[in-house]
Amino acid sequence: MAGVTLKTVAKAVGVSPSTVSNAYNKPDQLSAALRERIMATAQELGYAGPDASARALRSGKAGAIGVLFTDKLAYAFSDPYAVGFLAGLAEVAEEFTTSLLLMPLSSTDIAGGSNAVQQAAIDGAAIFCVPGDHPGLEILANRGIPAVSTDRGDHPDLSWVAIDEVEAASKLGEHLARLGHREVVVLVDNAQAAGGRPVELTLDEVGYTDCELRIRGLQKSMPDARLRIVSGGHNAFASGVKGAEYVLDSQDRPTAIVGLSDVQALGAMEAMKVRGLTPGRDLTVCGFDDIPAAATAGLTTVRQPIKDKGRAVGRVLLDPATTERQLLMPTELVVRSSSGPAPKH
């Protein structure tokens, strides 16, 4: 029936419009019998319920938080780190009856991503793997939308849940240095190689704050080593394979490969397997994150509390009882069979 409103249902039932509204929004304030009568009448008249956008305007709340990341939407469902982080964040969002709006910001269509941030109906934002200079972050600040980043910021007013990237990578670098490694390739996530050939990068070209800090941590703990930065594309198993193939098939082969994510390190191990090379004996491979597949593969890596990180971001955004706005999470070096002494040439 066209033109059916909340007032139409109220008149048909013989109650006030606020009582019909309570049937949808505050059902505990009505008897079960009255609510059932209201809902049955609404269904009979073809009334679908209060308009969500109008309710949001009245309350000033959208009932959703945005999750910003610089990659394709499929990344959120395929990358093990992203899946774990989102699972933790979703637990807290569900507790506070809040939805998650996934907002992939293209690394090529900057204007489109910025426009999406400008128009998004969100109450807060979880900034997950977004370069610090992306204009979408400034738009969030100008709109006054609370945001929590997974990158550690220096400004006292910023909210973040992060790890000490430099310290975590330094633990890994110290491990490699003790094993005698001086020729190291670092595999990073970078758009320059996406869909094309692997590229070698300078530290200034890396782009992501967490990757830059991890490389600085390796440099700090391995001052005598030569570190080359290579990217096979965006953060993925296939990129790790491609980047590792590039260095394994070159004359300038390293003694160790460090993937700045486990998925890239696992890709490097696959490239070694195809070439008949054994991780930990012929060449050392290490990762970062300690996703579930790392233990199965025997990958030496840096463990960080992925799901707890997501939960903590959710608490800072949604839980009034969480007053601390800057949380530093612990990390641990996990040594497995993929790392061993540098081969003697």
Side-chain angles (χ1 to χ4, degrees), residues 36-48:
E36 286 176 10
R37 187 154 60 92
I38 291 172
M39 301 304 280
T41 303
Q43 184 175 8
E44 182 181 336
L45 293 175
Y47 178 64

Side-chain angles (χ1 to χ4, degrees), residues 183-204:
E183 297 290 330
V184 180
V185 162
V186 183
L187 298 179
V188 301
D189 172 8
N190 192 272
Q192 288 189 40
R197 295 188 42 160
V199 295
E200 295 205 32
L201 305 167
T202 66
L203 184 58
D204 292 338

Side-chain angles (χ1 to χ4, degrees), residues 12 104 188 196 258 264 289:
V188 301
V258 176
Q264 295 215 57
D289 293 332

Side-chain angles (χ1 to χ4, degrees), residues 106-126:
S106 169
S107 56
T108 53
D109 183 14
I110 302 298
S114 300
N115 188 52
V117 175
Q118 182 67 58
Q119 297 183 8
I122 53 176
D123 301 317

Side-chain angles (χ1 to χ4, degrees), residues 170-230:
S170 292
K171 296 175 187 175
L172 183 54
E174 289 167 1
H175 172 66
L176 292 173
R178 283 193 298 268
L179 292 171
H181 293 282
R182 299 292 181 270
E183 297 290 330
V184 180
V185 162
V186 183
L187 298 179
V188 301
D189 172 8
N190 192 272
Q192 288 189 40
R197 295 188 42 160
V199 295
E200 295 205 32
L201 305 167
T202 66
L203 184 58
D204 292 338
E205 294 174 319
V206 170
Y208 291 98
T209 302
D210 57 348
C211 290
E212 291 177 13
L213 293 175
R214 289 173 193 181
I215 294 169
R216 292 191 186 281
L218 291 171
Q219 291 174 330
K220 176 183 175 182
S221 56
M222 305 182 73
D224 299 328
R226 182 170 74 107
L227 267 62
R228 294 161 56 203
I229 306 170
V230 173

Side-chain angles (χ1 to χ4, degrees), residues 68-92:
L68 281 62
F69 56 97
T70 316
D71 213 316
K72 294 180 179 179
L73 185 59
Y75 175 80
F77 302 96
S78 60
D79 179 76
Y81 178 87
V83 169
F85 175 85
L86 288 171
L89 179 59
E91 282 185 12
V92 178

